[in-house]
Every structure is written in structure tokens, then in C-alpha cells.
Amino acid sequence: MLFDRLIDRWGRGPLAAAIGVPALLVLALLVSAALGHNTPPPAHRAAEPPAAIAPAEDETVPPAAPAPAGLPVVDYDPAPAGFPADPRPLDVTPLTEGLTPTRNIAAYDAPGGRPLALLAPTISGVELTMPVVERRTGWTAVLLPSASRRLAWLPEGGWTPVALRDQIVVQRQTHQLTWYRHGNPMHTWPVSLGMPGQETPLGRTFVLGTTPPPEPVYGGVNIFALGAVPDDPDAVPTGLKGAHIGLHTWQDDDTLGEDVTNGCIRLTRTAQQTLLDEIRPGTELVVVDTLPTP
């Protein structure tokens, strides 16, 4: 499933938001047979949380160029082009730091590079928290919202740090989602993923926020909206143009373990409720084909 643009009601209640979901989604999403809920969670790194991301020590980076007037503000629509690709999109090392803008701040294509857009403290009224992936002297790189596998470089000032304790890893080959806390696997559940031509995008993204279910078919459980967008926007139905990838449940579990969605990640109602109780916006979510063998 894909979620259309946010509306002003996002922000009511804990982690509450609202995303307009076209009725077409009800016809496009199928559900599947459970693979079992007691699969041992895979271990893909040490249990202890990694050290804070340190800036490189062997460089001198130019200061930030002044941001010109008229830069677009990144919102729920697809982010402006020109931002660099994530150099390690399939890295499953947990990202334990995030940041939240305290005012509109310019986002650059490189340390000392070109300002391409503004990042605001909120998107449609919801506080924006982005995971930190790299640091250079005087600069910090974050996962860009409303884009897949793209980074934005931010100069110092205008944002506050946020600690991130959780991570979600999805394996496409085994149709499994694992929730980690401080690097420790907490639980693994079966999921349904994107159909051929509308595959769930690979790479690192993050949770933007949540929305109440717009239809009974969503099982009465809130929905996560992610920062990622479809890899092929032209492959999705017309009513879903400009939509985001979502993480949600369904009215039954008849097609779990299959590739049947428009790119979203679908899991059981119990699993979704557990994540809703535990996961905050800014939490990293990584989609890989399979985890590397230890």
C-alpha cells in the first residue's frame, strides 16, 4: 500500500497523524497466510549500541553557502532532485542518533555544497525527526524525507539531537520484519510486500509518523507512514501518484508472506499494535533482500 499526502489532523494524540488514502487502495491491497509468529529473530550485529557517529578528522570543509531566497520546503510531496544517494543504503548497522529542525534550515547536496531545499521543524504539523548517517567537520548527513535512499547535508545550528533506540529490518526474500532495540532483536513477524513491478523499495528509510486507519479493512489499527516513496512512480495506480510507502496491518492475515501490495509492508494486527506502542517517529527502517550470514 502507498499513502497519499498528509492532512492537517496529523498530530492528534500520541504519534497521531492523518494521511489521505485513496479508495483505490482498498482494491489494490491483498492479504496472506501467516508464516508463524515465533520465528527466532535473526541477529545481525552486536547487542551493545554502537558509539556515536564521529566526524571525519582529516578534512577541511568549506562553510555553508548562504541559502538563496525561494528554496522549496521539503514536505509530503516528493523531495526536490539533486540530493546525493545514500552511499550505504543496505547497511543494517543501527542508526542511534537523529535530529529535529528547530527552524527552517537549508539542506545541501554536500558539505560546503549547494543548498537545494529547506527542512522545516514539521511536515503537515508533525515534528520531523531524521536519522543521522554521517558526520564531517561542521556538517551532518541525514536521511532525506519524501525520497528513497537520498541524503541531505546540514550545517551546524538550527536543529536539536534526538536519541534513537529502535530499528526495524525487513527481509524481502523471507518476508520477515524484525524489531530491534539497542541492537537486540526483540521480535520477528511475517509480512506481505510489494508485487512485481511495485516492489517494496530496498534501502534505509525512517518512520515519519502515524495515521488512524481510514477504512475498516485496515483492522482498526493505526498506520505508519515512512519517508520512502515508490521506486517507479509511473507503475503505481494514478490515484497513488506522489504517495509514500506505509507499514500497516489488514483485516485478515490470508496473504502474509506474499508479494501483493503496492509497495507497502503489511503485518499482523498484533505486530502492528506492538510497534505502535514502542516505536517513535525518526526510527530507522531498512529493507534488504536478506541479512548477511554472520
Side-chain angles (χ1 to χ4, degrees), residues 1-72:
M1 183 190 96
L2 301 159
F3 290 107
D4 209 346
R5 67 192 69 249
L6 302 174
I7 61 177
D8 291 340
R9 288 191 300 112
W10 195 357
R12 293 182 183 175
L15 303 184
I19 306 169
V21 182
L24 180 59
L25 296 180
V26 176
L27 302 177
L29 302 176
L30 304 174
V31 194
S32 61
L35 298 179
H37 297 258
N38 296 316
T39 306
H44 65 275
R45 74 290 242 185
E48 291 299 320
I53 301 171
E57 298 178 354
D58 57 350
E59 61 182 342
T60 300
V61 179
L71 283 182

Side-chain angles (χ1 to χ4, degrees), residues 208-286:
L208 280 177
T210 64
T211 175
E215 302 288 345
V217 291
Y218 296 101
V221 180
N222 283 0
I223 297 162
F224 287 109
L226 306 180
V229 297
D231 282 339
D232 184 0
D234 294 330
V236 302
T238 301
L240 303 180
K241 301 301 182 183
H244 281 223
I245 302 298
L247 171 62
H248 64 90
T249 186
W250 198 244
Q251 61 185 347
D252 56 51
D253 298 331
D254 292 345
T255 59
L256 285 173
E258 299 180 16
D259 296 326
V260 295
T261 77
N262 291 111
C264 285
I265 303 159
R266 191 187 307 162
L267 71 173
T268 68
R269 186 179 309 175
T270 300
Q272 179 76 354
Q273 188 59 63
T274 297
L275 294 178
L276 287 165
D277 291 341
E278 299 287 348
I279 298 300
R280 60 149 291 158
T283 295
E284 177 197 15
L285 184 147
V286 189

